[in-house]
Amino acid sequence: MIRDTVAKRYAQAAFEIARGRNSLEEWATDLALMAQVMADPQAAAILSSTKLALADRYRLLEVTLGGIDPLVMNLARLLVAKGRVGIASQVAEAYRDLVDEHSGVCHARVVTAVPLADAEQRAVEERLSQITGKKVIAHLEVEPAILGGLVARVGDRLIDGSTRSNLLALKRTLEGQER
């Protein structure tokens, strides 16, 4: 989850540049690599160290991130210079969210009582796509406590079709009838 509004601003700027250059996916790959490097504890310690000259920290970036888009490298340098190495993962995640939104894709967290077969997963994704009007990519989790059915969270929306919830609703209804 992106908590830092500054990360969102960096991601928005990166998105605008990448969209203008028609290279959204290339930037996503490069930003993911940048985030991976900056999330490494040893690299983060070096890149954040004010005891090391900025030019030396930039050289480390060039060695570890060689081959990425020069403008992504500029963003990496900017994060180092501003002491914001720690938000690199959030920048990459926020950027990915913007690309998905632009492409009409959303992600759903789907909890089932038992693992789903590939065909069942595709059926769930298709149904959620019909409900949301977007292409849905399901991220599956297994939780036997729901007994059956599924619980899906797509953005702020919760779709609870679990057997457990249905049984609890029935119980509340029956308890209300007895009085």
Side-chain angles (χ1 to χ4, degrees):
M1 177 172 193
I2 292 99
R3 290 175 295 280
D4 197 319
T5 56
V6 173
K8 289 179 183 178
R9 284 192 210 119
Y10 281 117
Q12 184 66 47
F15 176 78
E16 295 300 330
I17 293 168
R19 187 174 61 173
R21 299 175 78 209
N22 200 27
S23 57
L24 292 173
E25 288 303 321
E26 294 85 355
W27 271 63
T29 302
D30 290 351
L31 287 171
L33 178 61
M34 177 191 78
Q36 182 182 357
V37 167
M38 291 185 177
D40 177 84
Q42 291 175 327
I46 293 169
L47 292 171
S48 300
S49 173
T50 55
K51 295 178 183 176
L52 198 59
L54 194 55
D56 293 334
R57 292 184 276 163
Y58 286 169
R59 272 194 288 282
L60 174 64
L61 283 177
E62 290 163 9
V63 169
T64 57
L65 298 175
I68 68 170
D69 186 291
L71 293 177
V72 177
M73 181 64 81
N74 286 347
L75 174 58
R77 286 187 191 109
L78 183 62
L79 292 176
V80 168
K82 296 283 186 180
R84 294 194 167 134
V85 170
I87 69 166
S89 294
Q90 291 182 50
V91 171
E93 182 182 342
Y95 176 85
R96 182 79 251 168
D97 290 347
L98 290 168
V99 171
D100 286 347
E101 184 179 321
H102 176 74
S103 304
V105 173
C106 62
H107 296 265
R109 179 178 167 257
V110 178
V111 181
T112 59
V114 296
L116 296 182
D118 290 343
E120 293 169 321
Q121 179 178 347
R122 282 191 298 278
V124 167
E125 288 173 339
E126 286 175 22
R127 182 66 183 124
L128 291 173
S129 292
Q130 291 170 352
I131 291 169
T132 62
K134 295 182 177 185
K135 181 183 184 324
V136 173
I137 298 171
H139 302 278
L140 303 176
E141 296 177 25
V142 175
E143 179 57 55
I146 70 168
L147 304 177
L150 63 82
V151 177
R153 179 170 293 282
V154 184
D156 293 339
R157 204 166 176 187
L158 180 68
I159 302 163
D160 190 345
S162 68
T163 302
R164 182 174 190 272
S165 289
N166 290 335
L167 289 172
L168 289 172
L170 180 60
K171 177 184 174 190
R172 282 191 298 274
T173 301
L174 290 174
E175 287 173 344
Q177 297 292 326
E178 292 176 5
R179 293 182 191 168

PDB file of all heavy atoms in Angstrom, residues 59-88:
ATOM      1  N   ARG A  59      27.587   6.465  -8.949  1.00  0.00           N
ATOM      2  CA  ARG A  59      28.337   5.407  -9.644  1.00  0.00           C
ATOM      3  C   ARG A  59      27.773   4.032  -9.286  1.00  0.00           C
ATOM      4  O   ARG A  59      27.667   3.156 -10.131  1.00  0.00           O
ATOM      5  CB  ARG A  59      29.828   5.495  -9.320  1.00  0.00           C
ATOM      6  CG  ARG A  59      30.587   6.428 -10.259  1.00  0.00           C
ATOM      7  CD  ARG A  59      32.098   6.256 -10.143  1.00  0.00           C
ATOM      8  NE  ARG A  59      32.634   6.786  -8.892  1.00  0.00           N
ATOM      9  CZ  ARG A  59      32.842   8.081  -8.647  1.00  0.00           C
ATOM     10  NH1 ARG A  59      32.543   8.974  -9.565  1.00  0.00           N
ATOM     11  NH2 ARG A  59      33.338   8.489  -7.501  1.00  0.00           N
ATOM     12  N   LEU A  60      27.416   3.847  -8.015  1.00  0.00           N
ATOM     13  CA  LEU A  60      26.809   2.588  -7.603  1.00  0.00           C
ATOM     14  C   LEU A  60      25.507   2.349  -8.369  1.00  0.00           C
ATOM     15  O   LEU A  60      25.243   1.238  -8.838  1.00  0.00           O
ATOM     16  CB  LEU A  60      26.533   2.570  -6.094  1.00  0.00           C
ATOM     17  CG  LEU A  60      25.773   1.347  -5.586  1.00  0.00           C
ATOM     18  CD1 LEU A  60      26.574   0.070  -5.792  1.00  0.00           C
ATOM     19  CD2 LEU A  60      25.393   1.514  -4.125  1.00  0.00           C
ATOM     20  N   LEU A  61      24.718   3.403  -8.524  1.00  0.00           N
ATOM     21  CA  LEU A  61      23.476   3.279  -9.302  1.00  0.00           C
ATOM     22  C   LEU A  61      23.770   2.870 -10.738  1.00  0.00           C
ATOM     23  O   LEU A  61      23.102   1.994 -11.295  1.00  0.00           O
ATOM     24  CB  LEU A  61      22.708   4.605  -9.314  1.00  0.00           C
ATOM     25  CG  LEU A  61      21.930   4.988  -8.078  1.00  0.00           C
ATOM     26  CD1 LEU A  61      21.304   6.368  -8.254  1.00  0.00           C
ATOM     27  CD2 LEU A  61      20.856   3.961  -7.759  1.00  0.00           C
ATOM     28  N   GLU A  62      24.759   3.511 -11.333  1.00  0.00           N
ATOM     29  CA  GLU A  62      25.086   3.219 -12.726  1.00  0.00           C
ATOM     30  C   GLU A  62      25.561   1.783 -12.913  1.00  0.00           C
ATOM     31  O   GLU A  62      25.256   1.146 -13.917  1.00  0.00           O
ATOM     32  CB  GLU A  62      26.125   4.220 -13.238  1.00  0.00           C
ATOM     33  CG  GLU A  62      25.527   5.617 -13.390  1.00  0.00           C
ATOM     34  CD  GLU A  62      26.566   6.709 -13.502  1.00  0.00           C
ATOM     35  OE1 GLU A  62      27.767   6.414 -13.640  1.00  0.00           O
ATOM     36  OE2 GLU A  62      26.151   7.886 -13.417  1.00  0.00           O
ATOM     37  N   VAL A  63      26.279   1.260 -11.928  1.00  0.00           N
ATOM     38  CA  VAL A  63      26.753  -0.122 -12.003  1.00  0.00           C
ATOM     39  C   VAL A  63      25.588  -1.093 -11.829  1.00  0.00           C
ATOM     40  O   VAL A  63      25.454  -2.052 -12.582  1.00  0.00           O
ATOM     41  CB  VAL A  63      27.849  -0.387 -10.940  1.00  0.00           C
ATOM     42  CG1 VAL A  63      28.149  -1.863 -10.822  1.00  0.00           C
ATOM     43  CG2 VAL A  63      29.107   0.395 -11.271  1.00  0.00           C
ATOM     44  N   THR A  64      24.735  -0.843 -10.840  1.00  0.00           N
ATOM     45  CA  THR A  64      23.655  -1.784 -10.538  1.00  0.00           C
ATOM     46  C   THR A  64      22.461  -1.644 -11.463  1.00  0.00           C
ATOM     47  O   THR A  64      21.740  -2.607 -11.693  1.00  0.00           O
ATOM     48  CB  THR A  64      23.174  -1.637  -9.075  1.00  0.00           C
ATOM     49  OG1 THR A  64      22.756  -0.298  -8.861  1.00  0.00           O
ATOM     50  CG2 THR A  64      24.256  -2.026  -8.108  1.00  0.00           C
ATOM     51  N   LEU A  65      22.244  -0.455 -12.003  1.00  0.00           N
ATOM     52  CA  LEU A  65      21.078  -0.224 -12.858  1.00  0.00           C
ATOM     53  C   LEU A  65      21.449   0.033 -14.315  1.00  0.00           C
ATOM     54  O   LEU A  65      20.642   0.585 -15.065  1.00  0.00           O
ATOM     55  CB  LEU A  65      20.261   0.968 -12.324  1.00  0.00           C
ATOM     56  CG  LEU A  65      19.656   0.827 -10.936  1.00  0.00           C
ATOM     57  CD1 LEU A  65      18.979   2.128 -10.510  1.00  0.00           C
ATOM     58  CD2 LEU A  65      18.674  -0.318 -10.899  1.00  0.00           C
ATOM     59  N   GLY A  66      22.638  -0.357 -14.703  1.00  0.00           N
ATOM     60  CA  GLY A  66      23.080  -0.142 -16.079  1.00  0.00           C
ATOM     61  C   GLY A  66      22.082  -0.712 -17.074  1.00  0.00           C
ATOM     62  O   GLY A  66      21.549  -1.792 -16.894  1.00  0.00           O
ATOM     63  N   GLY A  67      21.801   0.055 -18.129  1.00  0.00           N
ATOM     64  CA  GLY A  67      20.915  -0.429 -19.175  1.00  0.00           C
ATOM     65  C   GLY A  67      19.472   0.046 -19.045  1.00  0.00           C
ATOM     66  O   GLY A  67      18.672  -0.181 -19.945  1.00  0.00           O
ATOM     67  N   ILE A  68      19.126   0.689 -17.936  1.00  0.00           N
ATOM     68  CA  ILE A  68      17.756   1.187 -17.831  1.00  0.00           C
ATOM     69  C   ILE A  68      17.636   2.505 -18.575  1.00  0.00           C
ATOM     70  O   ILE A  68      18.640   3.143 -18.908  1.00  0.00           O
ATOM     71  CB  ILE A  68      17.289   1.334 -16.359  1.00  0.00           C
ATOM     72  CG1 ILE A  68      18.048   2.445 -15.637  1.00  0.00           C
ATOM     73  CG2 ILE A  68      17.370   0.026 -15.611  1.00  0.00           C
ATOM     74  CD1 ILE A  68      17.461   2.802 -14.274  1.00  0.00           C
ATOM     75  N   ASP A  69      16.410   2.906 -18.831  1.00  0.00           N
ATOM     76  CA  ASP A  69      16.140   4.167 -19.519  1.00  0.00           C
ATOM     77  C   ASP A  69      16.852   5.304 -18.787  1.00  0.00           C
ATOM     78  O   ASP A  69      16.798   5.380 -17.564  1.00  0.00           O
ATOM     79  CB  ASP A  69      14.622   4.408 -19.534  1.00  0.00           C
ATOM     80  CG  ASP A  69      14.236   5.611 -20.361  1.00  0.00           C
ATOM     81  OD1 ASP A  69      14.550   6.754 -19.945  1.00  0.00           O
ATOM     82  OD2 ASP A  69      13.622   5.418 -21.417  1.00  0.00           O
ATOM     83  N   PRO A  70      17.519   6.186 -19.521  1.00  0.00           N
ATOM     84  CA  PRO A  70      18.236   7.290 -18.879  1.00  0.00           C
ATOM     85  C   PRO A  70      17.353   8.164 -17.983  1.00  0.00           C
ATOM     86  O   PRO A  70      17.815   8.673 -16.956  1.00  0.00           O
ATOM     87  CB  PRO A  70      18.781   8.112 -20.047  1.00  0.00           C
ATOM     88  CG  PRO A  70      18.852   7.148 -21.187  1.00  0.00           C
ATOM     89  CD  PRO A  70      17.733   6.177 -20.974  1.00  0.00           C
ATOM     90  N   LEU A  71      16.089   8.323 -18.332  1.00  0.00           N
ATOM     91  CA  LEU A  71      15.208   9.139 -17.503  1.00  0.00           C
ATOM     92  C   LEU A  71      14.829   8.414 -16.205  1.00  0.00           C
ATOM     93  O   LEU A  71      14.640   9.053 -15.170  1.00  0.00           O
ATOM     94  CB  LEU A  71      13.953   9.544 -18.280  1.00  0.00           C
ATOM     95  CG  LEU A  71      14.218  10.509 -19.444  1.00  0.00           C
ATOM     96  CD1 LEU A  71      12.928  10.796 -20.203  1.00  0.00           C
ATOM     97  CD2 LEU A  71      14.844  11.805 -18.953  1.00  0.00           C
ATOM     98  N   VAL A  72      14.751   7.092 -16.240  1.00  0.00           N
ATOM     99  CA  VAL A  72      14.524   6.325 -15.009  1.00  0.00           C
ATOM    100  C   VAL A  72      15.773   6.440 -14.131  1.00  0.00           C
ATOM    101  O   VAL A  72      15.676   6.581 -12.908  1.00  0.00           O
ATOM    102  CB  VAL A  72      14.173   4.854 -15.301  1.00  0.00           C
ATOM    103  CG1 VAL A  72      14.016   4.061 -14.006  1.00  0.00           C
ATOM    104  CG2 VAL A  72      12.894   4.749 -16.132  1.00  0.00           C
ATOM    105  N   MET A  73      16.945   6.415 -14.770  1.00  0.00           N
ATOM    106  CA  MET A  73      18.192   6.593 -14.020  1.00  0.00           C
ATOM    107  C   MET A  73      18.198   7.971 -13.356  1.00  0.00           C
ATOM    108  O   MET A  73      18.629   8.109 -12.208  1.00  0.00           O
ATOM    109  CB  MET A  73      19.407   6.440 -14.933  1.00  0.00           C
ATOM    110  CG  MET A  73      20.737   6.587 -14.212  1.00  0.00           C
ATOM    111  SD  MET A  73      21.056   5.308 -12.976  1.00  0.00           S
ATOM    112  CE  MET A  73      21.621   3.993 -14.042  1.00  0.00           C
ATOM    113  N   ASN A  74      17.698   9.000 -14.065  1.00  0.00           N
ATOM    114  CA  ASN A  74      17.608  10.335 -13.467  1.00  0.00           C
ATOM    115  C   ASN A  74      16.701  10.332 -12.242  1.00  0.00           C
ATOM    116  O   ASN A  74      17.002  10.979 -11.240  1.00  0.00           O
ATOM    117  CB  ASN A  74      17.094  11.357 -14.489  1.00  0.00           C
ATOM    118  CG  ASN A  74      18.141  11.714 -15.523  1.00  0.00           C
ATOM    119  OD1 ASN A  74      19.318  11.398 -15.365  1.00  0.00           O
ATOM    120  ND2 ASN A  74      17.700  12.351 -16.592  1.00  0.00           N
ATOM    121  N   LEU A  75      15.601   9.587 -12.327  1.00  0.00           N
ATOM    122  CA  LEU A  75      14.701   9.481 -11.181  1.00  0.00           C
ATOM    123  C   LEU A  75      15.411   8.790 -10.011  1.00  0.00           C
ATOM    124  O   LEU A  75      15.306   9.244  -8.867  1.00  0.00           O
ATOM    125  CB  LEU A  75      13.427   8.711 -11.551  1.00  0.00           C
ATOM    126  CG  LEU A  75      12.462   8.416 -10.400  1.00  0.00           C
ATOM    127  CD1 LEU A  75      12.011   9.697  -9.709  1.00  0.00           C
ATOM    128  CD2 LEU A  75      11.275   7.620 -10.905  1.00  0.00           C
ATOM    129  N   ALA A  76      16.154   7.733 -10.302  1.00  0.00           N
ATOM    130  CA  ALA A  76      16.907   7.036  -9.252  1.00  0.00           C
ATOM    131  C   ALA A  76      17.909   7.985  -8.598  1.00  0.00           C
ATOM    132  O   ALA A  76      18.035   8.017  -7.370  1.00  0.00           O
ATOM    133  CB  ALA A  76      17.626   5.818  -9.835  1.00  0.00           C
ATOM    134  N   ARG A  77      18.609   8.775  -9.416  1.00  0.00           N
ATOM    135  CA  ARG A  77      19.560   9.749  -8.874  1.00  0.00           C
ATOM    136  C   ARG A  77      18.847  10.788  -8.001  1.00  0.00           C
ATOM    137  O   ARG A  77      19.349  11.173  -6.950  1.00  0.00           O
ATOM    138  CB  ARG A  77      20.297  10.457 -10.008  1.00  0.00           C
ATOM    139  CG  ARG A  77      21.343   9.617 -10.683  1.00  0.00           C
ATOM    140  CD  ARG A  77      22.133  10.468 -11.689  1.00  0.00           C
ATOM    141  NE  ARG A  77      22.952   9.638 -12.524  1.00  0.00           N
ATOM    142  CZ  ARG A  77      22.735   9.410 -13.821  1.00  0.00           C
ATOM    143  NH1 ARG A  77      21.715   9.987 -14.439  1.00  0.00           N
ATOM    144  NH2 ARG A  77      23.528   8.624 -14.509  1.00  0.00           N
ATOM    145  N   LEU A  78      17.689  11.223  -8.460  1.00  0.00           N
ATOM    146  CA  LEU A  78      16.926  12.217  -7.708  1.00  0.00           C
ATOM    147  C   LEU A  78      16.513  11.660  -6.335  1.00  0.00           C
ATOM    148  O   LEU A  78      16.631  12.356  -5.326  1.00  0.00           O
ATOM    149  CB  LEU A  78      15.685  12.637  -8.505  1.00  0.00           C
ATOM    150  CG  LEU A  78      14.813  13.722  -7.879  1.00  0.00           C
ATOM    151  CD1 LEU A  78      15.593  15.022  -7.719  1.00  0.00           C
ATOM    152  CD2 LEU A  78      13.577  13.946  -8.739  1.00  0.00           C
ATOM    153  N   LEU A  79      16.068  10.414  -6.307  1.00  0.00           N
ATOM    154  CA  LEU A  79      15.695   9.797  -5.034  1.00  0.00           C
ATOM    155  C   LEU A  79      16.893   9.731  -4.089  1.00  0.00           C
ATOM    156  O   LEU A  79      16.761   9.982  -2.891  1.00  0.00           O
ATOM    157  CB  LEU A  79      15.102   8.406  -5.253  1.00  0.00           C
ATOM    158  CG  LEU A  79      13.740   8.354  -5.939  1.00  0.00           C
ATOM    159  CD1 LEU A  79      13.316   6.898  -6.173  1.00  0.00           C
ATOM    160  CD2 LEU A  79      12.681   9.101  -5.162  1.00  0.00           C
ATOM    161  N   VAL A  80      18.062   9.402  -4.635  1.00  0.00           N
ATOM    162  CA  VAL A  80      19.278   9.346  -3.814  1.00  0.00           C
ATOM    163  C   VAL A  80      19.634  10.738  -3.323  1.00  0.00           C
ATOM    164  O   VAL A  80      19.893  10.939  -2.132  1.00  0.00           O
ATOM    165  CB  VAL A  80      20.452   8.711  -4.603  1.00  0.00           C
ATOM    166  CG1 VAL A  80      21.766   8.911  -3.876  1.00  0.00           C
ATOM    167  CG2 VAL A  80      20.182   7.221  -4.842  1.00  0.00           C
ATOM    168  N   ALA A  81      19.621  11.711  -4.222  1.00  0.00           N
ATOM    169  CA  ALA A  81      20.002  13.079  -3.854  1.00  0.00           C
ATOM    170  C   ALA A  81      19.064  13.675  -2.802  1.00  0.00           C
ATOM    171  O   ALA A  81      19.500  14.416  -1.923  1.00  0.00           O
ATOM    172  CB  ALA A  81      20.023  13.972  -5.095  1.00  0.00           C
ATOM    173  N   LYS A  82      17.783  13.340  -2.879  1.00  0.00           N
ATOM    174  CA  LYS A  82      16.796  13.885  -1.943  1.00  0.00           C
ATOM    175  C   LYS A  82      16.673  13.053  -0.668  1.00  0.00           C
ATOM    176  O   LYS A  82      15.867  13.382   0.202  1.00  0.00           O
ATOM    177  CB  LYS A  82      15.418  13.971  -2.616  1.00  0.00           C
ATOM    178  CG  LYS A  82      15.347  14.919  -3.782  1.00  0.00           C
ATOM    179  CD  LYS A  82      15.273  16.335  -3.300  1.00  0.00           C
ATOM    180  CE  LYS A  82      15.040  17.274  -4.475  1.00  0.00           C
ATOM    181  NZ  LYS A  82      14.975  18.651  -4.046  1.00  0.00           N
ATOM    182  N   GLY A  83      17.441  11.962  -0.581  1.00  0.00           N
ATOM    183  CA  GLY A  83      17.366  11.113   0.605  1.00  0.00           C
ATOM    184  C   GLY A  83      16.065  10.325   0.682  1.00  0.00           C
ATOM    185  O   GLY A  83      15.558  10.053   1.764  1.00  0.00           O
ATOM    186  N   ARG A  84      15.546   9.948  -0.478  1.00  0.00           N
ATOM    187  CA  ARG A  84      14.253   9.258  -0.529  1.00  0.00           C
ATOM    188  C   ARG A  84      14.362   7.857  -1.117  1.00  0.00           C
ATOM    189  O   ARG A  84      13.413   7.370  -1.742  1.00  0.00           O
ATOM    190  CB  ARG A  84      13.258  10.089  -1.322  1.00  0.00           C
ATOM    191  CG  ARG A  84      12.934  11.394  -0.622  1.00  0.00           C
ATOM    192  CD  ARG A  84      11.727  12.050  -1.217  1.00  0.00           C
ATOM    193  NE  ARG A  84      11.270  13.112  -0.332  1.00  0.00           N
ATOM    194  CZ  ARG A  84      10.946  14.311  -0.743  1.00  0.00           C
ATOM    195  NH1 ARG A  84      11.019  14.616  -2.008  1.00  0.00           N
ATOM    196  NH2 ARG A  84      10.531  15.207   0.121  1.00  0.00           N
ATOM    197  N   VAL A  85      15.467   7.215  -0.871  1.00  0.00           N
ATOM    198  CA  VAL A  85      15.681   5.845  -1.359  1.00  0.00           C
ATOM    199  C   VAL A  85      14.579   4.919  -0.841  1.00  0.00           C
ATOM    200  O   VAL A  85      14.117   4.025  -1.546  1.00  0.00           O
ATOM    201  CB  VAL A  85      17.082   5.338  -0.936  1.00  0.00           C
ATOM    202  CG1 VAL A  85      17.246   3.866  -1.213  1.00  0.00           C
ATOM    203  CG2 VAL A  85      18.159   6.147  -1.646  1.00  0.00           C
ATOM    204  N   GLY A  86      14.122   5.167   0.372  1.00  0.00           N
ATOM    205  CA  GLY A  86      13.137   4.307   1.015  1.00  0.00           C
ATOM    206  C   GLY A  86      11.770   4.274   0.353  1.00  0.00           C
ATOM    207  O   GLY A  86      10.972   3.380   0.621  1.00  0.00           O
ATOM    208  N   ILE A  87      11.468   5.232  -0.527  1.00  0.00           N
ATOM    209  CA  ILE A  87      10.151   5.238  -1.174  1.00  0.00           C
ATOM    210  C   ILE A  87      10.180   4.648  -2.579  1.00  0.00           C
ATOM    211  O   ILE A  87       9.153   4.618  -3.253  1.00  0.00           O
ATOM    212  CB  ILE A  87       9.524   6.648  -1.199  1.00  0.00           C
ATOM    213  CG1 ILE A  87      10.295   7.581  -2.136  1.00  0.00           C
ATOM    214  CG2 ILE A  87       9.364   7.211   0.201  1.00  0.00           C
ATOM    215  CD1 ILE A  87       9.541   8.860  -2.466  1.00  0.00           C
ATOM    216  N   ALA A  88      11.310   4.140  -3.008  1.00  0.00           N
ATOM    217  CA  ALA A  88      11.430   3.616  -4.378  1.00  0.00           C
ATOM    218  C   ALA A  88      10.405   2.520  -4.669  1.00  0.00           C
ATOM    219  O   ALA A  88       9.796   2.501  -5.742  1.00  0.00           O
ATOM    220  CB  ALA A  88      12.842   3.102  -4.632  1.00  0.00           C
TER     221      ALA A  88
END
